[in-house]
Amino acid sequence: MGNTVAREDFEWVYTDQPHADRRKEILAKHPEIKALMKPDYNLIWVVVLMVFAQLTAFYLVKDLDWKWVIFWAYVFGSCISHSMTLAIHEISHNSAFGNSKAMWNRWFGIFANLPLGLPYSISFKRYHMDHHRYLGGDGIDVDIPTNFEGWFFCTRFRKFIWIVLQPFFYAIRPLCINPKPITRLEIINLLAQLSFDVVIYYLWGVKSTFYMLAGSVLGLGLHPISGHFIAEHYMFLKGHETYSYYGPLNLLTFNVGYHNEHHDFPNIPGKSLPLVKKIAAEYYDNLPQYNSWIKVLYDFVMDDTISPYSRMKRQLKGEVKQD
């Protein structure tokens, strides 16, 4: 439990991320993939159903004993909440209405955000675009842990706590690494969310409000789906920066597990990423991959050579454009 991991710094690399080059190669060989670069209109109806499912749950838990409120917050609410954050991820790539209706996607993201209880959608989009353009970029990509996280969470027990506290670190990390001026849309996102939270509290009371917030925090912390946070880019194998997961939880997460495919083609909706893998199988089948996010979490905690430092990091050169 008290073993200290061996890594003491990030893995600094001086090459460009591999995704742009692989995208060019794949499109040259398989131009039919361009036909998948279109909106997924089914995403709209799925998100609407998820919002109403959570509203129904808010109503149903309002008179339950606290033990059952907590139970359902973890068993059901956390799954819906984490799934909704990944729907918002899809929306941030304009997958709901297409690039020609970018603002429709922003407003829809604010709507999808409501059952999470905490404003998230607009800020996530701004930082997530940086993650794609400047993967591992020092001072830009806030998906990279801070030096404090790498230094402090260096034992099995501390890594376990780090997983539990992931929502906290994802919230404060942008303020530490790459703070940005607040935009009008972020203020609207905040006001819409606070108004919604007040209405839920007024209509159904503290248990429904707790269920909403607890589901979001629990779902993004110690939860099977949270394995994707670590599976995507933590370097379990030296030299490999992005990893895909092909297990059943993709059904709940809009295929976010197809992460090499997603970074190669961020403008293809998650629904179509399995087709990308099938068409360009020779590029993906031999890359390192996972079939269990639970095992990823277990290995991260128990492997003394892995820590928050286990990420590739780049010193960016030239002009950096951010949202």
Side-chain angles (χ1 to χ4, degrees):
M1 289 283 287
N3 292 348
T4 302
V5 299
R7 184 177 296 278
E8 296 180 353
D9 195 5
F10 295 102
E11 183 80 13
W12 286 89
V13 292
Y14 302 94
T15 57
D16 292 333
Q17 56 169 294
H19 299 288
D21 289 341
R22 187 160 60 221
R23 175 166 57 248
K24 291 177 184 176
E25 282 188 35
I26 291 174
L27 287 177
K29 190 173 181 179
H30 300 287
E32 65 270 26
I33 284 178
K34 292 180 181 178
L36 303 176
M37 298 176 183
K38 59 185 179 181
D40 174 14
Y41 295 117
N42 288 331
L43 177 64
I44 299 168
W45 307 114
V46 172
V47 167
V48 169
L49 287 173
M50 289 169 68
V51 169
F52 280 97
Q54 277 294 68
L55 285 173
T56 302
F58 296 163
Y59 174 77
L60 292 175
V61 303
K62 67 184 180 68
D63 296 320
L64 294 181
D65 290 341
W66 274 107
K67 63 181 179 183
W68 290 112
V69 175
I70 296 169
F71 173 82
W72 288 114
Y74 188 78
V75 171
F76 182 78
S78 63
C79 295
I80 294 289
S81 291
H82 200 138
S83 183
M84 188 63 88
T85 67
L86 295 168
I88 290 170
H89 167 253
E90 288 283 290
I91 296 164
S92 76
H93 286 281
N94 295 333
S95 292
F97 296 98
N99 292 323
S100 63
K101 296 180 178 179
M103 281 306 299
W104 288 39
N105 289 282
R106 301 293 78 74
W107 293 119
F108 191 57
I110 292 173
F111 168 76
N113 196 151
L114 293 177
L116 297 179
L118 300 167
Y120 166 82
S121 178
I122 299 300
S123 296
F124 172 79
K125 187 260 190 297
R126 296 179 73 197
Y127 283 103
H128 188 64
M129 295 304 103
D130 294 340
H131 171 64
H132 276 273
R133 292 190 195 111
Y134 309 111
L135 180 63
D138 185 34
I140 301 295
D141 184 359
V142 300
D143 194 60
I144 299 286
T146 61
N147 283 311
F148 169 78
E149 291 171 74
W151 168 76
F152 183 78
F153 295 98
C154 60
T155 68
R156 294 177 184 178
F157 176 72
R158 291 182 187 180
K159 286 190 291 180
F160 175 80
I161 297 301
W162 184 75
I163 289 172
V164 173
L165 296 178
Q166 275 190 113
F168 171 76
F169 287 111
Y170 269 94
I172 67 168
R173 198 182 291 151
L175 304 177
C176 300
I177 294 177
N178 186 18
K180 296 183 179 185
I182 296 176
T183 65
R184 180 179 67 92
L185 276 177
E186 284 176 303
I187 294 172
I188 292 171
N189 193 178
L190 172 64
L191 294 177
Q193 192 62 61
L194 289 175
S195 300
F196 179 83
D197 294 352
V198 168
V199 168
I200 294 300
Y201 179 79
Y202 177 79
L203 289 177
W204 297 322
V206 68
K207 290 180 179 178
S208 296
T209 307
F210 174 87
Y211 168 91
M212 172 172 59
L213 297 172
S216 296
V217 173
L218 293 171
L220 296 170
L222 186 64
H223 194 281
I225 296 177
S226 290
H228 81 86
F229 289 132
I230 293 169
E232 289 166 0
H233 297 293
Y234 283 81
M235 196 168 51
F236 282 80
L237 292 176
K238 189 174 178 64
H240 290 278
E241 186 167 14
T242 306
Y243 302 75
S244 288
Y245 156 84
Y246 300 125
L249 289 177
N250 277 308
L251 295 172
L252 298 178
T253 58
F254 301 91
N255 286 327
V256 75
Y258 288 75
H259 217 65
N260 269 300
E261 296 84 348
H262 172 60
H263 271 267
D264 289 352
F265 299 99
N267 55 343
I268 293 181
K271 178 188 76 171
S272 298
L273 292 178
L275 276 176
V276 172
K277 181 181 184 297
K278 182 178 180 180
I279 292 170
E282 69 272 25
Y283 287 90
Y284 297 113
D285 284 352
N286 294 322
L287 292 176
Q289 56 190 253
Y290 302 112
N291 290 302
S292 171
W293 277 335
I294 295 175
K295 187 175 188 303
V296 168
L297 292 171
Y298 177 84
D299 289 346
F300 178 82
V301 171
M302 300 304 293
D303 188 335
D304 294 332
T305 66
I306 303 295
S307 79
Y309 270 141
S310 300
R311 293 290 296 264
M312 286 189 180
K313 204 171 184 182
R314 293 177 171 84
Q315 189 72 51
L316 297 175
K317 299 176 182 178
E319 185 179 5
V320 175
K321 297 180 180 180
Q322 301 183 68
D323 285 348

